[in-house]
Amino acid sequence: MGTVELQQLRKRFGSGDDAVVAVDDLSLELEDGEFLVLVGPSGCGKSTTLRMIAGLESATDGDIRIGEESVTDFEPRDRDIAMVFQNYALYPHMTARENMAFGLKMNSSLDEATIDDRVTDVAQTLSIEPLLDDTPSELSGGQQQRVALGRAIVREPAVFLMDEPLSNLDAKLRSQMRTELQALQETLDTTTIYVTHDQTEAMTMGDRIAILNEGELQQVGTPLECYNTPANQFVAGFIGSPSMNFLDVTHDAGTLTHEAFTYELSEATTELLEDQTDYVMGIRPEDLDLTPDGAIDADAEVVEPLGDLSHVHARVGETLVTATVPAGTQLPAGESLTLSVPESRLHIFDHSSGEAVKNSDGPTQEQPLIAAE
Amino acid sequence: MSASIEQFTQSLRERMTVPSLGLDDDSRFAYWLLLPSIAMMALIHFIPMVWGFVISFMEVNDSTFIDWMSAPISPLKQYGAIFQPDTAVGAEFWSSLVETFLFAFGTTIGVYVLGLTTALLLNKSFRGKFTARTLVLIPYFAPAVATIYIWRMMFTADTGVVNELLVWLGVINSTDEVFWLIGNNALISMIVVNIWKNFPFAAIMLYAGLQSIPEQLYEAASIDGASRWATFRYVTLPQLKPVTAVIILLMIVWSFINFTIPYLLLDKNPENGEVLMLFIYNFAFQNGDYSLGAALSIILLVISMVISYGYYRATMQSSVQGGAV
C-alpha cells in the first residue's frame, strides 16, 4: 500500500534565536496511487518536506507514515521509496545500466539475471535501451533524466519522490517530459509526491496540489479547486499565469470603491462581506474584458502578443493589471480604456488576513468532454 | 592597475624588436617573456640531463673529469658492466633495483592508506578541524634534513625512542633491541619515514577530492540502500579515482628518485637499503666513476618513464572522466 500520511510535521534548522522553521505543522494524506504536487516559492519548505519523507532530513516533530507503518525514524533504505533528484544524482562512474541496477543490488535479494531483466524492461518503457551501456557524461540532459527515472522505477517502490526533476531541462523537453511523466505515473499507479516551484507543472500534472508558503500549508485540492476557489490571496496569486490581479478596495453598503472606480455588488455577495471595510478584489486576467462601457477605468501601457492571444498591461489608478485579450488587439501606450468583470468571476479577499471571502464560480472538478450515456 | 600593466607591456612590445621566427605577434611576445624561465630550466635540468646522457657512453672518472671531453669513448662499457653479474656494479645492481621497487611499493601503499584515512577523518565535522588540517601538513613542510635526523635518532638501537616504546608496549624485551637502521629493517625504516613525510600530500589531495564529491551522490546511495561500506566502495572510492591515480603515480616516481631519506637516514654506504639513488651516488661521487653513475641514472630514468607511462595508460586515461579531480 502506497498511502502516505504526514501528521503535524515540523522541521526546525538551528536553535535559539537563529532557529529557522522550514516546515510548520504540516499534515497531509495521500491515497494509494495518487499524484500530489507540492508547490510553492523558493524557501517555502517543499523540498525540506520531501527530504523528510525520504529520510534525508530528520523531522523535528510529527510523524510520517508510509502504508500502515510509521517510518519517521527509519533509514531512507527502509522506507520503500525511490527519489528522483533535481540534478539527477546519477553515479558518474557507472553506466546507465549499473546506475539503474544499483538500488536493486544493494537493497534486494534478486539475482543478477533478474535485476538485468528488470532494468531492460524499464529501459524499454523509457526508450533508453540503446543507452544502457553509456555513462552519464555521454548522455544528454533529457537522457540522464530518463535514466534517473528508470533508477527509481526499477525498484518498484511504494512511493516515488521527485524533487524538481524537470527544472534542468529546456522548455520544449520539459513540456514533453511532463506529459510522459504523467502517462507513466498513470500506468505504474504508484503514489508520487512531486516538488516544483513551477505552477504550470503543478496545474497540469497532479491529481491534487498542496501549496506551501513559509513552511505552512496554504491549501490542498485539485488543480481546478486551487485555481477557481483559492483559500487565500497567496494561493490565488501563486496559481495561474499570468497572476491574478489584486486591487485594494473599501466596502460600503454593497459598493466596492477603488481609487479609480466603484463596483456595485449584488445582495448575495454583499451578505458575504462582514462589517469591516478593507478588502482586496481579485480578478483573473482572462476574466477582465475590454469593453466600451466597463466599470473599471484604465490606461493601456504595453501589449504582449503571444500568438494565440495577447496580454494587455494597463494601469488602474496606481495598480498595474493584466488582461487577456484576443490576438491582434492593438492599444497605443497611454490610451484610456475601460475594463469589466462579471461578478460571478470576482474573488474577494479579506485585506488583513488574506482569506478568501468570495471566489469565482469556475468549475472545481474536471468536466467530462463526452457525457456518459 | 590593469591599464598601467597594459601600457607597460605595450611599450615593452614596441621597444623589443625581435625576429619573427614564423610565429604570430602574440606567440612571439609570449615566448620572449618565457625565455628567462626556459633558460633557467635548461641550465638546471636539460643541460645536466643531456650531459649525463653523453658521459654515460664515455669513461669520465676522477682522473679524466677536468678534461672530460677528451675522456675515452666506450659506448656500451658502462651499460654492459651494469647488466653483468660478475662486475662490481652488476653484482649489486639487481638487489638495489629490488630494494628500490620495495621502497616505492611500500611507500605508495602506506602513503595512500594513511592519506586516505586522514582525509576521511578531516572530512568529518569536528571542533578544531582547521588546526588538525594544519598539523597534518607539518611533516610535508618541515625541513627534511632536520626531521630525518630526528627520525634517525628515534631509530637508534640503544637510545632511540622507537625501541623504548616497543619495550614499554611489551612487544620486545629490553635486551633484544631492534637495529632499525641496519640489516633488513633499514628498508622498513626508510619506508616509514617516507610515508610520514609524504602522507600529508596525499591526505590534502584526497581531502580536496572528497570535498568535491557531490552530496547528492551520497543521498542517492542512501536511498538506494547502500550501507556505509558499500557507499565508500561504490561512491567514494570511484569518485576519488582520478586523484588516486595522480597520487600513486607521483609516489612511485618520487620514491624512485628519493635521495634525501636513504642518504640521511642510513648514511652514505649502508649494507642494506641501498636504493638506486644511493647506489648511483656512491658509484658516481664516492668511487668517482661519473660515467657509471650517469649510465645508472639513465637506466633509472627509463625505468621511471616506463612505469609512469604504463600506469598512465592503465589508469589515468580511463579515470579522468566523471570523478573528483
Side-chain angles (χ1 to χ4, degrees), chain B:
Chain B
M1 183 67 186
S2 63
S4 64
I5 291 172
E6 271 176 35
Q7 282 166 8
F8 173 73
T9 49
Q10 191 55 42
S11 70
L12 205 63
R13 291 172 85 144
E14 284 162 10
R15 281 157 208 262
M16 284 171 61
T17 48
V18 291
S20 81
L21 303 172
L23 297 167
D24 66 56
D25 196 39
D26 281 348
S27 304
R28 199 172 66 240
F29 185 62
Y31 273 115
W32 277 104
L33 290 179
L34 284 172
L35 194 62
S37 316
I38 294 172
M40 281 303 284
M41 288 284 287
L43 199 68
I44 294 168
H45 288 285
F46 302 143
I47 293 176
M49 273 174 70
V50 173
W51 189 67
F53 183 72
V54 171
I55 67 166
S56 73
F57 298 104
M58 300 169 74
E59 285 181 45
V60 180
N61 51 37
D62 271 345
S63 54
T64 57
F65 184 69
I66 303 296
D67 188 17
W68 69 273
M69 286 183 79
S70 55
I73 296 170
S74 46
L76 292 176
K77 185 184 170 200
Q78 314 298 351
Y79 293 98
I82 291 166
F83 293 110
Q84 273 173 20
D86 55 349
T87 61
V89 62
E92 292 176 35
F93 172 75
W94 292 107
S95 66
S96 181
L97 188 62
V98 170
E99 296 263 2
T100 310
F101 269 102
L102 290 174
F103 179 57
F105 189 65
T107 298
T108 306
I109 291 176
V111 163
Y112 188 74
V113 171
L114 193 58
L116 183 59
T117 310
T118 311
L120 289 169
L121 291 173
L122 285 177
N123 203 33
K124 304 243 177 255
S125 319
F126 59 92
R127 276 180 72 170
K129 185 172 167 174
F130 181 77
T131 315
R133 216 163 51 194
T134 312
L135 287 175
V136 161
L137 283 171
I138 288 177
Y140 192 63
F141 290 118
V145 177
T147 51
I148 294 168
Y149 268 120
I150 291 169
W151 272 105
R152 192 168 153 171
M153 286 162 64
M154 284 163 49
F155 277 131
T156 308
D158 47 358
T159 57
V161 72
V162 175
N163 276 347
E164 196 69 25
L165 195 68
L166 292 176
V167 170
W168 184 71
L169 288 172
V171 179
I172 59 169
N173 288 322
S174 57
T175 50
D176 303 334
E177 48 196 25
V178 181
F179 293 94
W180 290 105
L181 300 174
I182 53 173
N184 290 334
N185 291 332
L187 183 66
I188 296 170
S189 306
M190 278 200 303
I191 291 172
V192 168
V193 177
N194 205 15
I195 290 171
W196 179 83
K197 189 93 188 93
N198 283 303
F199 90 91
F201 170 77
I204 292 301
M205 292 270 285
L206 289 164
Y207 173 66
L210 286 173
Q211 296 267 302
S212 65
I213 301 175
E215 185 59 29
Q216 278 201 338
L217 292 187
Y218 290 113
E219 291 180 349
S222 79
I223 285 174
D224 275 338
S227 62
R228 283 175 74 163
W229 165 249
T231 306
F232 178 72
R233 162 79 181 78
Y234 294 108
V235 178
T236 310
L237 269 187
Q239 283 291 294
L240 289 176
K241 204 173 160 192
V243 74
T244 299
V246 171
I247 291 169
I248 289 177
L249 182 61
L250 286 176
M251 278 307 126
I252 291 171
V253 174
W254 286 354
S255 300
F256 261 81
I257 61 171
N258 193 320
F259 175 68
T260 327
I261 290 174
Y263 180 75
L264 294 176
L265 195 69
L266 305 185
D267 222 339
K268 293 167 193 166
N269 210 348
E271 285 177 32
N272 293 75
E274 197 177 27
V275 289
L276 269 180
M277 280 303 285
L278 205 52
F279 189 69
I280 292 166
Y281 170 80
N282 284 331
F283 271 99
F285 299 104
Q286 296 293 301
N287 302 354
D289 198 341
Y290 302 110
S291 285
L292 188 58
L296 285 165
S297 299
I298 297 295
I299 291 170
L300 180 60
L301 176 72
V302 170
I303 292 171
S304 303
M305 284 174 66
V306 168
I307 291 173
S308 304
Y309 182 71
Y311 182 76
Y312 175 80
R313 283 294 298 268
T315 62
M316 297 273 278
Q317 279 180 337
S318 65
S319 62
V320 170
Q321 68 177 30
V325 182

Side-chain angles (χ1 to χ4, degrees), chain A residues 156-277:
Chain A
E156 298 177 4
V159 182
F160 286 134
L161 304 174
M162 302 193 183
D163 189 4
E164 309 212 25
L166 306 184
S167 61
N168 283 3
L169 303 178
D170 63 56
K172 195 175 174 188
L173 196 55
R174 193 158 60 224
S175 162
Q176 182 192 333
M177 283 301 288
R178 211 160 57 202
T179 320
E180 283 189 32
L181 258 180
Q182 271 175 285
L184 200 64
Q185 200 271 342
E186 269 175 39
T187 314
L188 298 170
D189 200 26
T190 304
T191 312
T192 304
I193 304 179
Y194 184 103
V195 160
T196 181
H197 65 272
D198 182 341
Q199 63 88 32
T200 314
E201 278 176 26
M203 284 296 288
T204 53
M205 294 178 79
D207 296 326
R208 285 193 303 158
I209 310 177
I211 299 135
L212 291 172
N213 186 35
E214 293 180 350
E216 290 181 14
L217 184 65
Q218 304 294 312
Q219 186 170 3
V220 194
T222 64
L224 282 177
E225 268 170 8
C226 295
Y227 187 81
N228 286 319
T229 55
N232 55 39
Q233 198 179 334
F234 175 81
V235 175
F238 192 80
I239 299 293
S241 177
S243 296
M244 184 183 279
N245 299 299
F246 294 116
L247 297 156
D248 288 344
V249 291
T250 52
H251 170 242
D252 183 34
T255 306
L256 295 178
T257 309
H258 181 265
E259 56 175 310
F261 65 91
T262 56
Y263 191 96
E264 298 297 329
L265 295 174
S266 67
E267 207 168 306
T269 305
T270 309
E271 278 174 14
L272 296 171
L273 305 184
E274 293 165 5
D275 291 339
Q276 66 187 72
T277 54

Side-chain angles (χ1 to χ4, degrees), chain A residues 51 56 76-77 83 85 87 89-94 102-103 106-107 135 151 155, chain B residues 216-217 219-228 230 234-235 238-239 321-323:
Chain A
R51 291 169 61 81
L56 298 173
R77 64 165 168 258
M83 186 157 169
F85 292 86
N87 298 321
L90 295 173
Y91 309 113
H93 48 281
M94 294 185 195
F102 188 69
M106 291 294 119
N107 217 10
T135 55
R151 178 169 70 175
R155 289 186 45 204
Chain B
Q216 278 201 338
L217 292 187
E219 291 180 349
S222 79
I223 285 174
D224 275 338
S227 62
R228 283 175 74 163
Y234 294 108
V235 178
Q239 283 291 294
Q321 68 177 30

